[in-house]
Amino acid sequence: MPPTRRIGLFTGGGDCPGLNAVIRAVTKNAILNHGLEVVGIEDGLLGLIENRCRPLSFNDVSGILQFGGTILGSSNKANPRRFPTARNPDGSLVFSDMTERCVEHARAHRIDAIVAIGGDGTMSACRALVERGLNFIGVPKSIDNDLFGTDLTFGFLTAVQIASDALDRVHTTASSHGRIMVVEVMGRNAGWISLYSGLAGGADVILIPEIPYDTTAIVRAIEQRAARGRKATIICIAEGAKPKGGLQAVGRIDPSSPDPVRLGGIGAMLAGELEDRTGQETRVTVLGHVQRGGTPTAADRVLATEFGFHAADLLASGARNRLIVRQDGRITDIDIADAADKQRLIPSDHSMLRAARAVGTCMGDEESLTE
Ligand code: F6P
């Protein structure tokens, strides 16, 4: 293999705070310490499909560390293997394989290797290109913190901070009115945001996709609180939570997306049920994309910088198809294929679940009840 001279870089999937910090760290390290040229690919894999790439200089990435979003743009709809290219007469989409086109565009820009900053969808989508000989170094991003192989993704801690700030605010208004307040946070199949922010924000009930909830157990927890003189109850629920024996609440379907289901509505569903069963006034707050926007926390900027610095170092060392990860507090790397099509869910024996139960938090199941 000839040495890497020119690298491509893109941000794929849903955006999250810290993307710019990674772009900056990869580019500065590549230019300053390894003499590499950097090409920014616009809007994730969409830019590779549509041949939209631009050179990135030291100055292009200066002064962006603290900004949310991504200077390169992102897309969570561009899977080269199944890309919508036309419509059938009935309005349904026609999908084509754009893998070859991506390879041609990478070669036309003389890109020797690509840094893919993305989550599980991006890592899975890159597989077809890896099989065609492109070299990828993945950097794990997601507010959901659900990427397999890493203990932490950047963006997650910022989302947790935003959600726990919101819970703090909801507490005061809930106790003024003696209400049940349901706060719906993001998290499709993994409930990390709900668990962390619920613990940090002192939620009385925390609901996660990994533990299907029993409404009767929640009603009993509310009654137990009332018996102790606590009239207000704060419930933090992941958008992907579901009732026992029931299904996740689907907000909308986006047929053009490789992962077409957009969740939403579980908070309102639960609130309606609780109001009916307890007779207590109940309100819902859906935090939504607020959790993905704005300034990254200092911890996320540091993590993003560490990930980006390691990605450029790895490329310069000639590594092929690796994913940068954090394991047991250390930054290291694993085979990128190991993270594809898998998710990191909360294990049932996780110490934070035990901590939550120990302080009297209801996790939506009978185990949580104290009497
Ligand atoms: O994967 C990150 C995430 O923010 C999920 O938590 C959420 O379900 C989804 O993306 C929302 O996607 P979109 O931005 O397409 O609405």
Side-chain angles (χ1 to χ4, degrees):
M1 266 308 147
T4 299
R5 297 192 187 292
R6 208 161 206 253
I7 63 173
L9 170 66
F10 72 80
T11 50
D15 73 337
C16 79
L19 289 168
N20 284 325
V22 182
I23 294 172
R24 169 183 176 270
V26 171
T27 307
K28 287 194 169 181
N29 188 11
I31 293 174
L32 290 179
N33 302 305
H34 301 297
L36 301 173
E37 290 173 30
V38 184
V39 174
I41 301 166
E42 295 174 358
D43 300 333
L45 282 166
L46 189 61
L48 204 54
I49 294 171
E50 296 177 347
N51 198 17
R52 288 187 285 108
C53 305
R54 63 176 196 255
L56 283 182
S57 69
F58 185 91
N59 283 347
D60 288 330
V61 300
S62 287
I64 62 170
L65 172 67
Q66 69 277 33
F67 295 130
T70 158
I71 59 162
L72 290 175
S74 193
S75 164
N76 57 6
K77 296 186 180 177
N79 182 351
R81 248 195 195 144
R82 197 168 177 275
F83 185 69
T85 46
R87 278 195 186 274
N88 287 311
D90 65 0
S92 63
L93 290 163
V94 177
F95 293 91
S96 309
D97 188 340
M98 308 300 274
T99 310
E100 276 318 307
R101 187 142 334 155
C102 290
V103 174
E104 277 164 28
H105 292 156
R107 298 224 163 104
H109 289 279
R110 293 181 290 110
I111 290 172
D112 303 314
I114 296 179
V115 176
I117 309 169
D120 55 337
T122 300
M123 299 311 149
S124 305
C126 288
R127 200 166 38 191
L129 301 169
V130 168
E131 284 163 9
R132 286 290 295 106
L134 288 185
N135 180 20
F136 278 89
I137 301 294
V139 176
K141 155 259 51 155
S142 170
I143 64 160
D144 288 0
N145 200 30
D146 59 353
L147 194 63
F148 187 86
T150 184
D151 299 341
L152 195 58
T153 53
F154 71 89
F156 167 66
L157 291 173
T158 304
V160 166
Q161 189 62 56
I162 294 166
S164 65
D165 287 349
L167 285 164
D168 285 351
R169 290 176 186 279
V170 161
H171 267 288
T172 57
T173 167
S175 56
S176 306
H177 294 272
R179 284 172 170 163
I180 300 168
M181 297 292 253
V182 178
V183 178
E184 183 181 308
V185 298
M186 280 186 167
R188 281 176 299 179
N189 300 312
W192 296 105
I193 298 178
S194 184
L195 180 59
Y196 269 67
S197 61
L199 267 185
D204 308 301
V205 180
I206 298 176
L207 303 176
I208 58 176
E210 292 88 339
I211 305 178
Y213 66 81
D214 173 358
T215 314
T216 303
I218 302 171
V219 170
R220 286 186 52 201
I222 293 167
E223 286 166 356
Q224 281 179 357
R225 285 180 56 73
R228 289 193 182 105
R230 314 296 292 172
K231 193 141 188 270
T233 295
I234 309 293
I235 301 177
C236 183
I237 183 170
E239 62 180 352
K242 52 183 179 291
K244 243 184 182 167
L247 297 172
Q248 288 183 319
V250 175
R252 59 194 287 257
I253 298 287
D254 183 347
S256 67
S257 172
D259 189 358
V261 174
R262 295 291 180 273
L263 297 172
I266 194 70
M269 229 175 80
L270 177 66
E273 233 181 305
L274 291 177
E275 196 165 68
D276 288 348
R277 290 185 57 174
T278 62
Q280 194 173 346
E281 244 191 333
T282 306
R283 296 285 187 269
V284 191
T285 304
V286 180
L287 293 186
H289 291 79
V290 164
Q291 295 158 96
R292 282 198 349 213
T295 307
T297 57
D300 265 337
R301 295 182 208 184
V302 170
L303 183 64
T305 302
E306 276 198 287
F307 279 164
F309 141 73
H310 276 268
D313 270 11
L314 255 192
L315 277 175
S317 75
R320 292 189 66 77
N321 303 319
R322 308 294 294 170
L323 174 69
I324 314 283
V325 293
R326 199 181 85 144
Q327 290 179 349
D328 302 324
R330 273 186 54 244
I331 309 290
T332 178
D333 52 279
I334 60 171
D335 189 328
I336 200 167
D338 289 349
D341 300 326
K342 289 186 208 131
Q343 283 185 319
R344 193 175 78 94
L345 306 181
I346 302 173
S348 56
D349 61 350
H350 196 277
S351 65
M352 280 181 63
L353 289 178
R354 292 204 304 275
R357 292 188 199 280
V359 295
T361 312
C362 170
M363 295 301 305
D365 52 5
E366 287 296 330
E367 236 185 282
S368 310
L369 297 173
T370 49
E371 289 149 23

mmCIF file of all heavy atoms in Angstrom, residues 173-189:
data_model
loop_
_atom_site.group_PDB
_atom_site.id
_atom_site.type_symbol
_atom_site.label_atom_id
_atom_site.label_comp_id
_atom_site.label_asym_id
_atom_site.label_seq_id
_atom_site.Cartn_x
_atom_site.Cartn_y
_atom_site.Cartn_z
ATOM 1 N N THR A 173 -41.612 23.837 38.658
ATOM 2 C CA THR A 173 -43.002 24.080 38.244
ATOM 3 C C THR A 173 -43.890 22.895 38.656
ATOM 4 O O THR A 173 -45.050 23.080 39.031
ATOM 5 C CB THR A 173 -43.117 24.443 36.735
ATOM 6 O OG1 THR A 173 -44.479 24.370 36.343
ATOM 7 C CG2 THR A 173 -42.312 23.574 35.829
ATOM 8 N N ALA A 174 -43.329 21.670 38.638
ATOM 9 C CA ALA A 174 -44.121 20.499 39.065
ATOM 10 C C ALA A 174 -44.528 20.637 40.521
ATOM 11 O O ALA A 174 -45.673 20.377 40.890
ATOM 12 C CB ALA A 174 -43.311 19.220 38.869
ATOM 13 N N SER A 175 -43.594 21.079 41.372
ATOM 14 C CA SER A 175 -43.963 21.126 42.796
ATOM 15 C C SER A 175 -44.878 22.315 43.088
ATOM 16 O O SER A 175 -45.729 22.226 43.976
ATOM 17 C CB SER A 175 -42.738 21.082 43.707
ATOM 18 O OG SER A 175 -41.888 22.118 43.380
ATOM 19 N N SER A 176 -44.765 23.404 42.317
ATOM 20 C CA SER A 176 -45.713 24.519 42.520
ATOM 21 C C SER A 176 -47.154 24.061 42.329
ATOM 22 O O SER A 176 -48.057 24.506 43.022
ATOM 23 C CB SER A 176 -45.457 25.648 41.514
ATOM 24 O OG SER A 176 -44.132 26.066 41.560
ATOM 25 N N HIS A 177 -47.354 23.169 41.339
ATOM 26 C CA HIS A 177 -48.719 22.758 40.991
ATOM 27 C C HIS A 177 -49.085 21.362 41.475
ATOM 28 O O HIS A 177 -50.211 20.910 41.228
ATOM 29 C CB HIS A 177 -48.897 22.814 39.466
ATOM 30 C CG HIS A 177 -48.830 24.195 38.911
ATOM 31 N ND1 HIS A 177 -49.930 25.010 38.812
ATOM 32 C CD2 HIS A 177 -47.785 24.915 38.453
ATOM 33 C CE1 HIS A 177 -49.572 26.176 38.294
ATOM 34 N NE2 HIS A 177 -48.265 26.141 38.065
ATOM 35 N N GLY A 178 -48.140 20.657 42.083
ATOM 36 C CA GLY A 178 -48.398 19.285 42.518
ATOM 37 C C GLY A 178 -48.777 18.386 41.356
ATOM 38 O O GLY A 178 -49.713 17.590 41.433
ATOM 39 N N ARG A 179 -48.045 18.516 40.277
ATOM 40 C CA ARG A 179 -48.395 17.762 39.062
ATOM 41 C C ARG A 179 -47.451 16.598 38.807
ATOM 42 O O ARG A 179 -46.341 16.542 39.338
ATOM 43 C CB ARG A 179 -48.270 18.687 37.834
ATOM 44 C CG ARG A 179 -49.404 19.659 37.705
ATOM 45 C CD ARG A 179 -49.087 20.640 36.589
ATOM 46 N NE ARG A 179 -50.257 21.452 36.284
ATOM 47 C CZ ARG A 179 -50.217 22.583 35.601
ATOM 48 N NH1 ARG A 179 -49.055 23.070 35.176
ATOM 49 N NH2 ARG A 179 -51.319 23.243 35.349
ATOM 50 N N ILE A 180 -47.894 15.734 37.901
ATOM 51 C CA ILE A 180 -46.992 14.743 37.304
ATOM 52 C C ILE A 180 -46.435 15.405 36.040
ATOM 53 O O ILE A 180 -47.198 15.938 35.233
ATOM 54 C CB ILE A 180 -47.751 13.453 36.914
ATOM 55 C CG1 ILE A 180 -48.402 12.810 38.145
ATOM 56 C CG2 ILE A 180 -46.820 12.482 36.210
ATOM 57 C CD1 ILE A 180 -49.403 11.694 37.802
ATOM 58 N N MET A 181 -45.118 15.397 35.902
ATOM 59 C CA MET A 181 -44.498 15.977 34.700
ATOM 60 C C MET A 181 -43.718 14.886 33.986
ATOM 61 O O MET A 181 -42.844 14.244 34.586
ATOM 62 C CB MET A 181 -43.537 17.104 35.077
ATOM 63 C CG MET A 181 -44.214 18.267 35.753
ATOM 64 S SD MET A 181 -45.287 19.139 34.597
ATOM 65 C CE MET A 181 -44.370 20.605 34.316
ATOM 66 N N VAL A 182 -44.035 14.696 32.716
ATOM 67 C CA VAL A 182 -43.335 13.692 31.914
ATOM 68 C C VAL A 182 -42.390 14.420 30.963
ATOM 69 O O VAL A 182 -42.826 15.288 30.201
ATOM 70 C CB VAL A 182 -44.350 12.846 31.100
ATOM 71 C CG1 VAL A 182 -43.626 11.829 30.227
ATOM 72 C CG2 VAL A 182 -45.345 12.160 32.029
ATOM 73 N N VAL A 183 -41.105 14.093 31.029
ATOM 74 C CA VAL A 183 -40.120 14.713 30.127
ATOM 75 C C VAL A 183 -39.597 13.634 29.187
ATOM 76 O O VAL A 183 -38.996 12.656 29.634
ATOM 77 C CB VAL A 183 -38.951 15.350 30.922
ATOM 78 C CG1 VAL A 183 -37.919 15.949 29.970
ATOM 79 C CG2 VAL A 183 -39.481 16.415 31.874
ATOM 80 N N GLU A 184 -39.880 13.811 27.879
ATOM 81 C CA GLU A 184 -39.433 12.816 26.889
ATOM 82 C C GLU A 184 -38.089 13.242 26.315
ATOM 83 O O GLU A 184 -37.952 14.336 25.781
ATOM 84 C CB GLU A 184 -40.480 12.694 25.775
ATOM 85 C CG GLU A 184 -40.123 11.634 24.735
ATOM 86 C CD GLU A 184 -41.162 11.553 23.614
ATOM 87 O OE1 GLU A 184 -42.372 11.414 23.899
ATOM 88 O OE2 GLU A 184 -40.741 11.643 22.445
ATOM 89 N N VAL A 185 -37.102 12.364 26.442
ATOM 90 C CA VAL A 185 -35.763 12.651 25.918
ATOM 91 C C VAL A 185 -35.481 11.709 24.747
ATOM 92 O O VAL A 185 -36.213 10.759 24.519
ATOM 93 C CB VAL A 185 -34.678 12.502 27.016
ATOM 94 C CG1 VAL A 185 -34.912 13.481 28.143
ATOM 95 C CG2 VAL A 185 -34.605 11.071 27.556
ATOM 96 N N MET A 186 -34.376 11.974 24.005
ATOM 97 C CA MET A 186 -34.044 11.102 22.870
ATOM 98 C C MET A 186 -33.451 9.787 23.367
ATOM 99 O O MET A 186 -33.149 9.637 24.548
ATOM 100 C CB MET A 186 -33.118 11.822 21.903
ATOM 101 C CG MET A 186 -33.870 12.782 20.997
ATOM 102 S SD MET A 186 -32.805 13.510 19.740
ATOM 103 C CE MET A 186 -34.016 14.250 18.647
ATOM 104 N N GLY A 187 -33.244 8.875 22.454
ATOM 105 C CA GLY A 187 -32.710 7.547 22.785
ATOM 106 C C GLY A 187 -33.622 6.508 22.175
ATOM 107 O O GLY A 187 -34.687 6.224 22.708
ATOM 108 N N ARG A 188 -33.201 5.982 21.017
ATOM 109 C CA ARG A 188 -34.084 5.080 20.263
ATOM 110 C C ARG A 188 -34.193 3.696 20.892
ATOM 111 O O ARG A 188 -35.268 3.284 21.299
ATOM 112 C CB ARG A 188 -33.589 4.946 18.816
ATOM 113 C CG ARG A 188 -33.964 6.121 17.970
ATOM 114 C CD ARG A 188 -33.399 6.001 16.608
ATOM 115 N NE ARG A 188 -31.931 5.959 16.661
ATOM 116 C CZ ARG A 188 -31.146 5.844 15.620
ATOM 117 N NH1 ARG A 188 -31.666 5.727 14.431
ATOM 118 N NH2 ARG A 188 -29.845 5.853 15.740
ATOM 119 N N ASN A 189 -33.081 2.988 20.931
ATOM 120 C CA ASN A 189 -33.121 1.636 21.494
ATOM 121 C C ASN A 189 -32.301 1.526 22.758
ATOM 122 O O ASN A 189 -32.390 0.534 23.471
ATOM 123 C CB ASN A 189 -32.619 0.616 20.459
ATOM 124 C CG ASN A 189 -33.502 0.652 19.225
ATOM 125 O OD1 ASN A 189 -34.726 0.621 19.341
ATOM 126 N ND2 ASN A 189 -32.899 0.768 18.062
#
